[in-house]
Amino acid sequence: MGCIKGGGILLAANVPAVVVENLSFRYQTRSERAIQDISFELWPGEILLVAGASGCGKTTLMRCINGLIPRSYKGDLHGRVLLHGQNTAGMRLADISRIVGTVLQDPEKQIMGSYVCDEVAFGLENLGWPREQIIATVEETLEYLRISHLRDRETFYLSGGEKQKVAIAGTLAMRPSILLLDEPLANLDPFSAREALDMIRRLADEGRTIIIIEHRVEDVLSIRPDKALLLEQGQQRYFGDLEGFARTVEYGEVKLPAPLVIEKAKGQKGMAIAPPVLETPTSKDEPLVLFEDVTFGYEEGTVALRDINLAIYPGDVVAILGPNGAGKTTLIKQAIGLLKPTAGRVVVAGQDTRQTSTAQLARTLGYVFQSPSHMLFAPTVREELAFGPRNLGYRAEDIQAGVAEAIRILNLSGLEDYSPLALSFGQQKRVSIAAILAMRSRILAMDEPTAGQDYRNYMEFMDSILQLPYFSAILFITHDLDLAICYANRVILMDNGRIVADGKPEETLSQPELLRECHLYPTSLLQTNLAMLGRTGRFMRAEALACLEANPSVDSSAFGLVG
Amino acid sequence: MLVTWKYRERNTIIQKLDPRARFIFMLCMLFSIIQFWDSRVMLLFLAISLGQFVVAKITFRETRRVWLLVGGFITFLTMLAFVTGRGGTGVYTEEHVLFYLPSFTLPILGRKITFPITAERIMFGLSQMTRMLAISGFAIIIPYTVDPRLYGVTFRGLGLPDKFAYATDLAFRFVPTLGRDFSITLDAQKARGYELERFEGGIIGQIRKLAPLIVPVTIGAIVAGEEIADAMDLRAFGVAPRTWLHQLTYQRRDKILIAISVGVFLLSTVLSILGWGRFWIPGWLLRMAKG
């Protein structure tokens, strides 16, 4: 019998690397099953893409394969998981972890070491390997992943992309033959995501079996996974090759490449017209937010913003793009007064932020933080949403109306009396956005509003938010180029604390050099839009482009452009 | 993600010492200090404690926030003991009044409150303050001068089992992590119109007002604990005797420091048993009270 090495142990080579047979699991605290009758097999060197909406059971499936279920998460488990022919039921978690390496969605939740070298060595130290062997393996792994230059860096100060690579290194050092990646691209800028994907392809080409759970299906498809598994409400809707997957999946369900969406959308009857995009304001009224020669440095000496001059006008829907650490969040924090300029000044609705408290500025600018867990505290969703408007001194009936509307827009109906703390991450994120919507500030600013959301959900709430009458301007920070293409009428590109481009999306995103400088990678939607720009005159979402292709006589201005 | 204490290599003798010797030194000083109440002895220990910062080339600016926090807490405790006169129970039995602060009568109860300032209260307050400042100094300097990579192996080297040693390492990092999370939560709630400064209502109302800060930070810490446990499980933590990547070796200077530390502790114990270093009041202060 042929053998391969995994985690330093010999494994059978002539059997599938992973076999999942009729797997079902119900958490102890839940009445319904999280996954039901999942079956598939994977051979060494294959990549499996697992796709599906939030709450479809992807993470539960991952926990069953890496052994956390039933060892750390108790419940009712049926079916079996075989790794290289061995049933995991009788194995210790330590033995499974030598075969299956898991990289969690957020590398921050995985990294244990204060320094890169310690982080990569952590698993090997736990296995009790001799010290010299650990050092050699750490060096080898860092070199293999081409991150030897990070060896002595503090993990806390790494960029998002670097953290993800270090988390992969920490897992790979244990020499697993199977890698489980849970949304590895979620926190990465497009350039870092591309690097991570190339690395994943290389690992598979060298014989590792890879299971990759990802909402950003389009990105994963670019490295040609061998198989795809589509889950829906805990059930297996499809397992097989990519051609079958492309036929099965609907275009609004997960994020697919633009040409495929156009192809699918063209064949749909009664296709919905694209929702509105606010027209770029032509008259320059009094700016809502004004940055004048703003420079800002943190106490430890890092200069986060340099010479920023920026005016946000009524009607602006601004996408702020740029690599991790470019100063995007710092820019918004200046506008809400959480940070004050070191030089220059920021004026919001005529008030200098130095002379105004954040609480006062919140009436004008509502800011949705990136992580919802840092703000949720109330016993119910309803009370959570009422907290902001109450602080701002709104009348009871206005609070009630604002809360009801926010619940409807963010698709939270039925959850009003639930504790926000007991909801899933995706739901919590929607509650955090609803909490700011309920405040009805004149300007809405969102930091990575789509992170951790499935495609259908975030497109729906972005559509609704854009149609709300009371926002004079909307700003959002994102790594998702397509979100900017679909919704923004103005794009700001930032790099190294400076604004390097500011203008209409069609102007700023059509310069390949500039995109590369800002760690952005042209998506298929951008490329399709650029190819059709002569006819459309502006960027559109794929469904609108499909409509235009299907009805060549239709004028592009009919696609929901509102002034 | 757990945050580490701000640490920077400074190439000083203190940083070159083995962290185990540093911890032994700290513990010996701590157990020596608590055997005395004499302010003069306390001042000596405070001088040693603060002297470390000079030797370690740590500026006041770097540690200002910690000192303000600790200093505020110490001042509060000292003032409480000073005003109530309860702190020194057992340390002194009689009091010599220097003067009285203006008295006042409690509304409704009609009870008259007087504030006698006594020689004992002043000296006890001074002793208590210097004692706590000295102890704080011995502790505060640790994160600024011990490489964060070495905590785990240091505790292992001090005799703790693998699991406890690593857990102590994690616990050390928990403090700055909590500080960071608190700051993010405060910002997030401020952006929702929350004002910590706007205190309203009674004590219950004020505590309720802190819920938007305390609940997310506490729940966040619990969830993070579970996630850390998962991440550790997935990388075989605790399944076998652990290898520690970093190694510590005692040098001559470490042995000397340990010998001095143990010596100071033994000397303190002997002196304490002999009745030396007890609560002390200068004669001139007593004479002022009596005169």
Side-chain angles (χ1 to χ4, degrees):
Chain A
M1 187 202 250
C3 288
I4 57 170
K5 251 187 165 184
I9 49 178
L10 290 178
L11 304 162
N14 54 354
V15 292
V18 183
V19 175
V20 172
E21 276 181 6
N22 306 111
L23 196 68
S24 300
F25 183 73
R26 183 181 61 77
Y27 287 97
Q28 212 167 34
T29 50
R30 303 261 174 91
S31 54
E32 72 283 1
R33 287 179 172 179
I35 52 170
Q36 197 163 353
D37 286 330
I38 310 288
S39 296
F40 64 86
E41 65 174 44
L42 279 180
W43 287 84
E46 286 189 325
I47 298 179
L48 169 71
L49 162 68
V50 182
S54 294
C56 70
K58 300 189 295 284
T59 302
T60 304
L61 174 64
M62 182 193 80
R63 287 175 181 159
C64 289
I65 296 171
N66 67 20
L68 283 179
I69 289 177
R71 291 159 191 83
S72 297
Y73 296 87
K74 305 292 177 197
D76 195 9
L77 179 69
H78 294 280
R80 58 181 195 156
V81 176
L82 305 177
L83 303 177
H84 299 285
Q86 296 179 63
N87 191 337
T88 57
M91 294 167 75
R92 294 182 315 153
L93 192 57
D95 295 328
I96 297 176
S97 68
R98 293 166 74 180
I99 303 172
V100 182
T102 307
V103 179
L104 301 174
Q105 178 183 344
D106 185 353
E108 293 219 348
K109 292 175 180 171
Q110 173 155 7
I111 291 175
M112 303 300 305
S114 318
Y115 285 77
V116 170
C117 178
D118 301 68
E119 167 57 22
V120 181
F122 180 72
L124 306 176
E125 289 177 304
N126 293 335
L127 291 172
W129 283 24
R131 194 170 164 269
E132 291 67 30
Q133 201 182 338
I134 293 177
I135 294 169
T137 308
V138 167
E139 300 292 350
E140 202 179 301
T141 309
L142 292 173
E143 204 169 307
Y144 175 77
L145 296 177
R146 296 168 192 150
I147 51 170
S148 296
H149 58 285
L150 300 179
R151 188 186 184 282
D152 297 314
R153 292 267 304 275
E154 265 191 82
T155 49
F156 181 69
Y157 295 106
L158 298 176
S159 73
E162 288 169 339
K163 278 180 189 157
Q164 190 65 274
K165 284 179 200 163
V166 169
I168 292 176
T171 306
L172 270 188
M174 294 172 79
R175 301 284 183 262
S177 60
I178 301 162
L179 259 186
L180 263 179
L181 306 161
D182 187 4
E183 295 196 42
L185 313 179
N187 299 298
L188 302 188
D189 61 53
F191 193 80
S192 305
R194 170 59 40 195
E195 284 188 334
L197 284 166
D198 289 343
M199 182 196 292
I200 291 165
R201 179 73 257 174
R202 190 152 61 97
L203 290 168
D205 290 343
E206 289 170 8
R208 284 189 181 79
T209 309
I210 297 190
I211 300 177
I212 176 166
I213 295 170
E214 188 54 65
H215 280 311
R216 287 160 71 167
V217 170
E218 177 188 5
D219 295 338
V220 181
L221 289 180
S222 69
I223 56 161
R224 309 174 318 279
D226 301 273
K227 287 171 181 164
L229 172 69
L230 182 63
L231 297 179
E232 187 178 334
Q233 292 179 342
Q235 307 219 1
Q236 181 171 327
R237 210 172 94 200
Y238 174 82
F239 171 70
D241 59 21
L242 290 186
E243 287 71 30
F245 174 75
R247 278 194 304 275
T248 310
V249 70
E250 288 168 26
Y251 68 83
E253 203 170 9
V254 294
K255 192 162 182 285
L256 295 171
L260 185 58
V261 175
I262 293 173
E263 200 55 44
K264 279 176 169 283
K266 271 201 291 192
Q268 297 267 323
K269 281 184 183 170
M271 187 177 58
I273 294 290
V277 171
L278 294 178
E279 195 171 9
T280 310
T282 45
S283 67
K284 296 292 182 195
D285 303 331
E286 191 70 15
L288 293 164
V289 181
L290 183 67
F291 283 70
E292 285 179 345
D293 302 316
V294 171
T295 294
F296 174 75
Y298 286 99
E299 251 181 41
E300 69 268 19
T302 320
V303 180
L305 294 178
R306 298 160 201 269
D307 305 321
I308 301 287
N309 283 292
L310 172 69
I312 306 290
Y313 294 97
D316 276 343
V317 180
V318 186
I320 305 172
L321 300 155
N324 294 330
K328 306 184 294 292
T329 302
T330 308
L331 185 81
I332 302 277
K333 282 189 173 175
Q334 293 280 341
I336 185 80
L338 287 169
L339 299 172
K340 315 284 182 190
T342 319
R345 65 176 196 145
V346 180
V347 180
V348 178
Q351 296 170 301
D352 190 320
T353 56
R354 278 213 188 86
Q355 275 123 42
T356 323
S357 74
T358 298
Q360 286 170 302
L361 289 168
R363 282 178 168 276
T364 309
L365 194 145
Y367 175 37
V368 183
F369 271 60
Q370 192 170 353
S371 168
S373 57
H374 285 119
M375 62 176 262
L376 302 178
F377 74 98
T380 66
V381 169
R382 202 190 304 275
E383 287 177 63
E384 188 73 57
L385 303 197
F387 175 71
R390 202 174 291 138
N391 286 333
L392 299 182
Y394 291 174
R395 292 183 311 160
E397 51 270 36
D398 290 340
I399 294 176
Q400 212 175 350
V403 168
E405 187 176 40
I407 284 173
R408 181 183 58 76
I409 291 166
L410 272 301
N411 193 19
L412 294 166
S413 300
L415 300 175
E416 295 92 331
D417 297 317
Y418 277 56
S419 162
L421 302 167
L423 301 178
S424 70
F425 178 82
Q427 289 166 330
Q428 286 189 346
K429 181 83 187 178
R430 277 184 279 145
V431 172
S432 70
I433 297 171
I436 303 301
L437 275 193
M439 288 162 54
R440 295 187 171 182
S441 312
R442 284 181 68 197
I443 309 164
L444 177 68
M446 298 180 280
D447 197 344
E448 291 287 355
T450 61
Q453 297 286 310
D454 64 59
Y455 182 68
R456 193 190 292 272
N457 245 326
Y458 74 66
M459 292 302 273
E460 277 176 10
F461 74 66
M462 286 297 289
D463 287 349
S464 303
I465 288 170
L466 265 282
Q467 292 175 66
L468 291 174
Y470 43 79
F471 289 126
S472 301
I474 296 171
L475 291 91
F476 56 91
I477 293 172
T478 185
H479 283 318
D480 186 346
L481 203 61
D482 289 355
L483 201 71
I485 291 171
C486 292
Y487 294 103
N489 57 22
R490 181 174 170 188
V491 168
I492 291 175
L493 297 181
M494 290 192 73
D495 187 30
N496 199 21
R498 292 182 199 278
I499 292 178
V500 292
D502 179 3
K504 285 186 175 184
E506 298 81 21
E507 293 159 3
T508 47
L509 300 179
S510 59
Q511 304 171 55
E513 273 302 311
L514 202 56
L515 293 185
R516 203 170 305 127
E517 191 185 318
C518 296
H519 276 211
L520 295 166
Y521 200 86
T523 58
S524 60
L525 182 62
L526 177 62
Q527 284 164 338
T528 312
N529 262 299
L530 287 173
M532 292 177 74
L533 197 57
R535 186 172 162 208
T536 58
R538 65 182 183 87
F539 285 170
M540 291 176 169
R541 65 174 59 186
E543 293 90 325
L545 294 173
C547 200
L548 207 61
E549 280 200 357
N551 308 284
S553 57
V554 176
D555 179 21
S556 68
S557 63
F559 292 97
L561 193 71
V562 294
Chain B
M1 183 175 180
L2 291 170
V3 184
T4 47
W5 294 90
K6 274 184 191 168
Y7 171 80
R8 148 168 98 78
E9 201 71 52
R10 291 165 214 261
N11 196 26
T12 61
I13 179 74
I14 286 201
Q15 282 184 323
K16 285 179 188 157
L17 288 164
D18 187 310
R20 292 171 297 178
R22 299 278 319 282
F23 272 93
I24 291 169
F25 172 71
M26 183 189 82
L27 291 172
C28 285
M29 290 301 120
L30 175 69
F31 286 112
S32 300
I33 288 172
I34 60 172
Q35 300 190 59
F36 300 111
W37 275 110
D38 189 327
S39 316
R40 294 166 299 181
V41 181
M42 290 303 127
L43 283 171
L44 180 69
F45 278 113
L46 181 62
I48 297 172
S49 178
L50 298 182
Q52 293 182 102
F53 287 84
V54 178
V55 177
K57 294 181 184 164
I58 298 170
T59 60
F60 177 69
R61 190 184 156 81
E62 288 174 80
T63 52
R64 188 181 56 196
R65 278 190 186 179
V66 189
W67 278 117
L68 283 177
L69 187 75
V70 172
F73 185 65
I74 290 173
T75 309
F76 172 74
L77 286 182
T78 309
M79 288 311 291
L80 196 68
F82 184 74
V83 170
T84 60
R86 309 296 295 172
T89 313
V91 177
Y92 54 85
T93 48
E94 58 173 333
E95 293 187 63
H96 298 86
V97 179
L98 287 161
F99 58 90
Y100 286 91
L101 286 178
S103 61
F104 73 96
T105 308
L106 277 180
I108 305 169
L109 295 174
R111 191 174 156 196
K112 194 176 177 190
I113 302 290
T114 52
F115 291 111
I117 304 299
T118 65
E120 287 76 10
R121 284 191 194 190
I122 289 175
M123 289 315 293
F124 181 78
L126 183 67
S127 174
Q128 192 186 21
M129 197 164 217
T130 45
R131 188 184 222 211
M132 287 195 280
L133 282 173
I135 291 173
S136 303
F138 283 115
I140 288 171
I141 198 169
I142 293 287
Y144 290 91
T145 50
V146 173
D147 188 329
R149 285 172 283 199
L150 301 180
Y151 283 120
V153 70
T154 300
F155 297 123
R156 180 73 187 96
L158 288 171
L160 288 180
D162 277 341
K163 275 190 180 181
F164 282 102
Y166 201 82
T168 317
D169 179 351
L170 293 180
F172 250 79
R173 286 192 265 159
F174 187 68
V175 179
T177 306
L178 212 58
R180 177 200 60 175
D181 290 349
F182 188 84
S183 162
I184 296 174
T185 297
L186 182 60
D187 280 355
Q189 305 302 33
K190 273 185 185 172
R192 297 166 78 192
Y194 175 80
E195 285 176 294
L196 194 57
E197 303 80 13
R198 215 173 58 194
F199 266 59
E200 290 162 353
I203 290 175
I204 301 292
Q206 290 180 15
I207 291 172
R208 277 174 68 96
K209 194 158 170 55
L210 289 175
L213 296 180
I214 293 170
V215 174
V217 173
T218 311
I219 300 287
I222 295 168
V223 171
E226 286 178 12
E227 286 164 352
I228 289 169
D230 276 358
M232 290 168 78
D233 281 347
L234 286 172
R235 288 163 78 191
F237 181 75
V239 297
R242 200 170 191 277
T243 306
W244 293 84
L245 183 63
H246 300 282
Q247 286 181 324
L248 297 172
T249 316
Y250 283 124
Q251 305 293 322
R252 192 159 165 263
R253 56 177 174 246
D254 303 313
K255 291 173 187 166
I256 293 171
L257 179 68
I258 292 171
I260 292 172
S261 307
V262 174
V264 169
F265 170 67
L266 291 176
L267 183 67
S268 301
T269 309
V270 171
L271 289 174
S272 175
I273 291 168
L274 294 175
W276 197 83
R278 289 185 185 160
F279 187 55
W280 171 77
I281 306 171
W284 57 267
L285 196 63
L286 273 179
R287 280 193 295 279
M288 261 176 74
K290 285 172 184 166

